[in-house]
Amino acid sequence: MNAYTWAAKLAVGMTAVVLAGCHHYVKQEDYDATIAELRANDASLRSDLNGLKSELDSRFAGYDAKISQLQGRVRVDLAAHFDTAQSVLRDQDKAALDEFASVIKEHHPDVVVTVEGFTDPAGSAAYNQKLGQKRADAVRDYLVQNGGLDASKIRAVSYGKAKNRQVVPGATGAQGEPNRRVALVIDHAPAGAG
């Protein structure tokens, strides 16, 4: 259960309690059971995400990657996958993507991965939005075609040259290489979810 599902269930549960109070009495044990179930689901989600982050940390130790966990997600930032104005994956970056696909396929096949494409700030916003999407699509396609991941669980989006997403704000050329990247954001989606 992802964080959004958990929050939605909690909201529905709380709304039901409030509305039931208006029309019917909700038994304390029913309320307590619902809260206990939500807490158990939350603990399971945290455990799954902690395991995934730990697995990625150990497998990505040799790559230029930053792995972080935040609000029901694990984020893998892979630096400098693309040359200026290019959307073709470089050969040296494919090994990290192969490793990522292996971890997901073998141990976490129920997650949903969003590939986020970024650019440096050179060029127009429209150009960079399209270039970021081409980069995200290239990585998505690679993960599906070469990594064997389920295409229905891999999404691609572009943030282009969004200022609040630049690693080195305003940098272009060689200094802007960290801005020309993809990030892989993993959302927990248990079996049967979708």
Side-chain angles (χ1 to χ4, degrees):
M1 173 181 311
N2 65 34
Y4 297 113
T5 304
W6 183 87
K9 281 191 173 187
L10 180 60
V12 168
M14 296 304 290
T15 302
V17 169
V18 170
L19 291 176
C22 295
H23 298 290
H24 303 294
Y25 174 75
V26 174
K27 295 180 183 176
Q28 183 67 40
E29 58 267 12
D30 291 341
Y31 173 80
D32 291 343
T34 300
I35 295 300
E37 180 184 350
L38 290 171
R39 287 184 177 149
N41 288 338
D42 183 52
S44 175
L45 170 63
R46 287 181 193 186
S47 176
D48 289 349
L49 289 174
N50 287 339
L52 175 58
K53 183 180 182 308
S54 177
E55 175 82 16
L56 290 170
D57 280 338
S58 67
R59 302 271 291 261
F60 274 75
Y63 298 105
D64 184 14
K66 178 183 173 191
I67 301 167
S68 53
Q69 184 174 342
L70 179 67
Q71 297 179 357
R73 295 180 169 161
V74 173
R75 179 180 184 84
V76 180
D77 280 301
L78 302 168
H81 278 279
F82 300 94
D83 293 325
T84 301
Q86 298 297 311
S87 61
V88 176
L89 279 172
R90 298 186 302 188
D91 287 338
Q92 68 257 34
D93 296 319
K94 292 178 181 177
L97 292 172
D98 292 339
E99 193 73 35
F100 175 83
S102 175
V103 169
I104 298 302
K105 191 171 157 183
E106 293 173 24
H107 304 290
H108 305 279
D110 296 322
V111 298
V112 175
V113 177
T114 302
V115 181
E116 299 177 339
F118 301 93
T119 67
D120 65 28
S124 71
Y127 171 81
N128 280 305
Q129 191 68 26
K130 288 177 186 174
L131 181 58
Q133 187 65 50
K134 286 180 182 179
R135 289 174 176 174
D137 289 341
V139 171
R140 179 193 179 279
D141 293 347
Y142 185 85
L143 291 172
V144 171
Q145 294 167 7
N146 296 71
L149 297 183
D150 181 350
S152 70
K153 295 187 178 193
I154 311 292
R155 304 176 288 203
V157 299
S158 174
Y159 288 96
K161 66 177 188 175
K163 287 182 182 179
N164 63 339
R165 295 302 201 88
Q166 293 175 21
V167 176
V168 183
T172 61
Q175 293 77 26
E177 189 175 58
N179 293 330
R180 297 186 299 273
R181 72 193 191 287
V182 293
L184 305 169
V185 179
I186 306 161
D187 287 302
H188 179 75

